[in-house]
Amino acid sequence: MASRPISEMGLPKSIANVFAARSIKTAKDALSLTEFDLMELADMGLAEVTSALAHISERVSPPYQTALSLLEQRIQNEQLAGHLPTGLKGLDEALFGGIPFGVITELVGPAGIGKTQFCLKLSLLASLPTRHGGLDAQVIYIDVESKFSSKRLIEIGAQSFPEIFYTRGMAQEQMAGRILVLRPASLAEFTEREFEHGASKINPLGWHISFLKSVGELSRIPIVVTNQVRSQSSDDTWRYNFQVGTRHRDLEDTSKYDSQLIAALGIHWAHAVTIRLILETISGERFIKVAKSPMSPALAFPFSITSSGISLLNDDGIEVVGQEISTIHCDGHSEIIHSDTLQFHRQ
């Protein structure tokens, strides 16, 4: 915009001619000078110079937007971008349609809590034809922990969509043809493969964050990653509390965090994800908690794992406040720290 010619600014012809004679040919040329410099160079009065600069600025500056208009625009873009419904009514309503396209959604929780079950069901939902409520998409499932089970996938599909799954050729077409499973021996091996394609070795985790975010934004596809948990130290009490936003170190009273668990991948990863869903257990009952979302309040939904995958016990979420938003409860946990990545490519 700043390179637009002065002749296109709609200035009075007399002023435009003076500017042209003084080699002030673009909006940038004029706006780079102070009022007094322009008065001296163009031999014009202060009122004329001030009026001319205001006119040029108005022409080349983008229009202002209110906070309300930006919010409305964001909501509209989210609706246009689309979502992958999870099939969990309460959760889909809280997320305004499901897993959003174009951003990273994260599942955090200890081993055995249900993260893989969630991802298997999402893979099936994404691969289903649109006429059956799916995305008619291809899925890339990066299985670092070797937990992908084709047998379990078949069971979930048969129980969840029997009228579709037993249609001749449907299971083979959807599973074999659309769900691509990558199984690097470790995250380090996967990272090394990416390095061969130009990734920097300086900060591999940072590179993964940037790569996944750019893929999601440019391709407008949903990306789901899983994140294990680890024990929380006293220093972590403030470092990883991204939701509450306090930096106060309460070193003496860490007993109030009964789970003593935090997401394994750390603070940089936490800030990179747009949606964070925490899967946890409290007194033997499983909950899926919307801990981070730009549109939804923090809500927790009780769930169980059945032959058809994860099922909510209640579609009315329980509102969570304060420290409980980011606290991860668990009756027992594993120290395994890995990350799986699930990407959906629309055809």
Side-chain angles (χ1 to χ4, degrees):
M1 297 291 287
S3 61
R4 287 182 59 184
I6 287 293
S7 59
E8 297 180 3
M9 294 292 103
L11 291 170
K13 189 173 182 180
S14 58
I15 296 179
N17 289 338
V18 171
F19 279 10
R22 301 298 189 272
S23 296
I24 303 173
K25 298 180 180 180
T26 67
K28 182 178 180 180
D29 293 337
L31 296 175
S32 298
L33 299 171
T34 67
E35 292 177 334
F36 294 104
D37 289 338
L38 197 55
M39 287 171 59
E40 183 178 355
L41 181 62
D43 193 20
M44 297 170 57
L46 178 60
E48 288 181 299
V49 167
T50 301
S51 176
L53 290 178
H55 183 83
I56 294 172
S57 297
E58 183 178 352
R59 287 298 186 93
V60 300
S61 297
Y64 72 87
Q65 290 181 289
T66 65
L68 177 60
S69 67
L70 288 174
L71 177 61
E72 292 172 342
Q73 181 180 344
R74 179 168 188 170
I75 293 174
Q76 183 180 13
N77 290 339
E78 285 291 330
Q79 293 173 343
L80 292 175
H83 296 77
L84 168 60
T86 67
L88 306 175
K89 181 181 177 182
L91 182 60
D92 286 340
E93 289 178 353
L95 297 177
F96 289 82
I99 305 299
F101 294 179
V103 299
I104 297 177
T105 298
E106 178 189 46
L107 305 178
V108 182
I113 192 67
K115 300 187 300 297
T116 299
Q117 306 299 315
F118 196 100
C119 290
L120 291 175
K121 185 68 169 285
L122 288 180
S123 298
L124 282 170
L125 290 167
S127 67
L128 288 177
T130 54
R131 65 180 182 276
H132 295 301
L135 296 182
D136 201 21
Q138 293 182 332
V139 179
I140 298 178
Y141 195 119
I142 303 172
D143 183 24
V144 176
E145 296 181 301
S146 297
K147 290 187 176 180
F148 183 92
S149 171
S150 56
K151 181 179 179 180
R152 177 60 174 145
L153 188 73
I154 292 173
E155 181 183 24
I156 292 175
Q159 294 295 323
S160 301
F161 322 106
E163 70 285 358
I164 303 171
F165 207 73
Y166 289 115
T167 301
R168 183 175 180 180
M170 181 65 71
Q172 179 179 357
E173 176 188 350
Q174 302 308 316
M175 291 175 53
R178 298 191 178 185
I179 302 176
L180 173 64
V181 181
L182 304 181
R183 264 186 176 156
S186 65
L187 185 58
E189 178 184 320
F190 176 69
T191 301
E192 289 174 2
R193 291 184 181 180
E194 298 300 329
F195 287 153
E196 294 174 1
H197 294 83
S200 169
K201 293 187 178 181
I202 298 176
N203 185 352
L205 181 59
W207 184 86
H208 280 301
I209 294 173
S210 298
F211 175 75
L212 290 174
K213 286 176 68 70
S214 63
V215 168
E217 291 172 0
L218 294 175
S219 302
R220 305 309 299 174
I221 59 174
I223 295 180
V224 178
V225 300
T226 66
N227 190 352
Q228 284 283 7
V229 297
R230 65 177 178 85
S231 297
Q232 174 178 265
S233 68
S234 58
D235 285 345
D236 290 325
T237 300
W238 65 273
R239 286 179 59 210
Y240 295 100
N241 189 9
F242 65 88
Q243 186 75 32
V244 178
T246 177
R247 296 182 63 87
H248 174 64
R249 298 195 187 199
D250 190 357
L251 302 182
E252 288 75 30
D253 189 20
T254 56
S255 60
K256 62 184 178 181
Y257 305 109
D258 58 346
S259 65
Q260 296 292 299
L261 297 176
I262 59 172
L265 292 180
I267 190 65
H268 296 296
W269 186 273
H271 286 308
V273 302
T274 301
I275 306 293
R276 168 170 275 192
L277 304 177
I278 292 177
L279 282 71
E280 60 183 1
T281 57
I282 303 176
S283 301
E285 188 172 13
R286 299 174 190 252
F287 288 88
I288 182 168
K289 181 166 58 182
V290 182
K292 182 182 180 183
S293 169
M295 304 302 293
S296 170
L299 297 172
F301 300 89
F303 75 91
S304 63
I305 298 178
T306 66
S307 58
S308 61
I310 287 180
S311 299
L312 296 186
L313 302 180
N314 193 326
D315 289 321
D316 297 324
I318 304 168
E319 188 167 358
V320 184
V321 297
Q323 185 64 43
E324 288 298 308
I325 295 175
S326 55
T327 300
I328 304 174
H329 298 273
C330 187
D331 296 335
H333 65 278
S334 169
E335 292 296 334
I336 298 175
I337 300 176
H338 286 304
S339 174
D340 292 339
T341 304
L342 192 61
Q343 301 181 27
F344 310 92
H345 289 253
R346 287 178 287 177
Q347 292 183 323

